[in-house]
Amino acid sequence: MLPIMPTLAILATFLAVLLSIFLLVVSSQMRLANTLLALFLLATALDISGWFMGEWWMSHRSLNQYRVAIAFVQMPLFSGYIWFNCFQRQVLHPLDALHFVPALAVLIATATDLSGPFMRVLFEAQYAVYIALAIYALWRVRIEMKARFKGSSANWNWLAVMVASSLVAHSLFVVRTVFASAFPQTTLAGLQAAATCLVLGITLLVAFQALLNPKLFRAQDRLLASAATTMVDQTAVEPDQRLLVFMEEHKPYLDPDISLSGLARRSGVPAKEISALINQRHGLHFFDFVNRYRIEHAKLLLIETDDTVTNIIFASGFNAKSSFNSAFRKQTGMTSSAFRQENRKK
């Protein structure tokens, strides 16, 4: 191992931890996606700590078992960050827990000394699946944006750079592992140094983006959000389409007394179907679903008008300031006044 490699690995680990803290505490409209990226950075920091703490980890085998298992949550977290950004998902679903089954299986295998060559195969298979999901998400939303909108999305470009960087970095590790017996030690050391520099470079790239383009981690990209909103899943049922179209065109959420039965009566979609669609397809309760539209309406009024916040609250369908404040902070991560001030500066 080259003498400089531990130093580079330490720098990359420190930056990854620092960035993860920033992503966890910063106010953002994409809090869930940021949390996934923060957890990915923490998992990466723990993984690459083996590059300069290898002997310590080997002397603490019980702890090292957890480090090995945590390596298997990196790609679900990374792919989740890309996916949630592309499709603007704001909530976790119970089935999302299945993505962490491989990590649990690896933890059990290492604890019972059943781990072997299959571990590397499982890791590579997992990487292939999740990087393919990330690429699909980028491709799918890119097709939608080109078909419906003009201009480019800074967020989409950033996500594409992240995926491309992951592919390059992983390719170096694969080459080093597969051809370890064929390459001389100096070549292997060079590949390891290049991989270490690349990991540090990617971490620095995230840091510079956070400094130079903070909107990437604080606010939704309008073009990306519009594309995600207009995308219709081919497996979507017809009532869901009717409900969403009705919500956009007739704005029933502006009625402060709207109820599930009232929405069913006005939209023509049975109440049981509305409840099932909102819960299963959107992962929300009825009033959270309605409030999501109300908050979007309020955000437009805050940006485009000089009306008072109190008037905007009632104009958006809320009948109490406390419920508006709670819903607004939950959806945007900030107060309405802070949102107006921040977006008026842009």
Side-chain angles (χ1 to χ4, degrees), residues 82-150:
I82 302 296
W83 195 275
F84 281 31
N85 265 289
C86 285
F87 298 113
Q88 302 292 294
R89 274 188 59 183
Q90 301 291 341
V91 294
L92 288 171
H93 299 157
L95 289 178
D96 291 330
L98 294 176
H99 294 287
F100 300 101
V101 169
L104 180 60
V106 168
L107 181 60
I108 295 172
T110 53
T112 55
D113 294 325
L114 294 177
S115 59
F118 82 92
M119 192 80 76
R120 187 69 200 180
V121 175
L122 177 60
F123 184 82
E124 293 302 330
Q126 186 201 45
Y127 182 87
V129 169
Y130 281 101
I131 201 68
L133 287 173
I135 293 171
Y136 168 78
L138 288 170
W139 171 79
R140 182 68 182 88
V141 78
R142 179 64 174 173
I143 292 296
E144 190 67 25
M145 286 193 297
K146 290 182 68 175
R148 296 177 178 271
F149 308 102
K150 293 181 179 180

Side-chain angles (χ1 to χ4, degrees), residues 190-235:
L191 286 173
Q192 182 70 20
T196 307
C197 290
L198 186 57
V199 171
L200 178 59
I202 293 171
T203 312
L204 284 170
L205 177 64
V206 178
F208 278 117
Q209 287 294 334
L211 290 171
L212 302 176
N213 196 3
K215 288 193 296 182
L216 288 176
F217 304 104
R218 292 176 180 269
Q220 291 177 326
D221 184 288
R222 291 192 178 184
L223 187 58
L224 203 61
S226 298
T229 301
T230 56
M231 275 191 292
V232 179
D233 191 343
Q234 293 180 353
T235 62

Side-chain angles (χ1 to χ4, degrees), residues 245-286:
V245 170
F246 181 81
M247 294 294 289
E248 292 289 343
E249 293 184 353
H250 297 277
K251 298 180 172 49
Y253 50 86
L254 296 181
D255 179 1
D257 298 318
I258 190 68
S259 63
L260 179 59
S261 59
L263 180 59
R265 186 171 55 255
R266 293 169 62 177
S267 66
V269 180
K272 287 185 178 180
E273 290 192 23
I274 291 178
S275 181
L277 289 169
I278 291 174
N279 285 314
Q280 296 172 13
R281 292 194 58 78
H282 301 283
L284 300 170
H285 297 295
F286 173 72

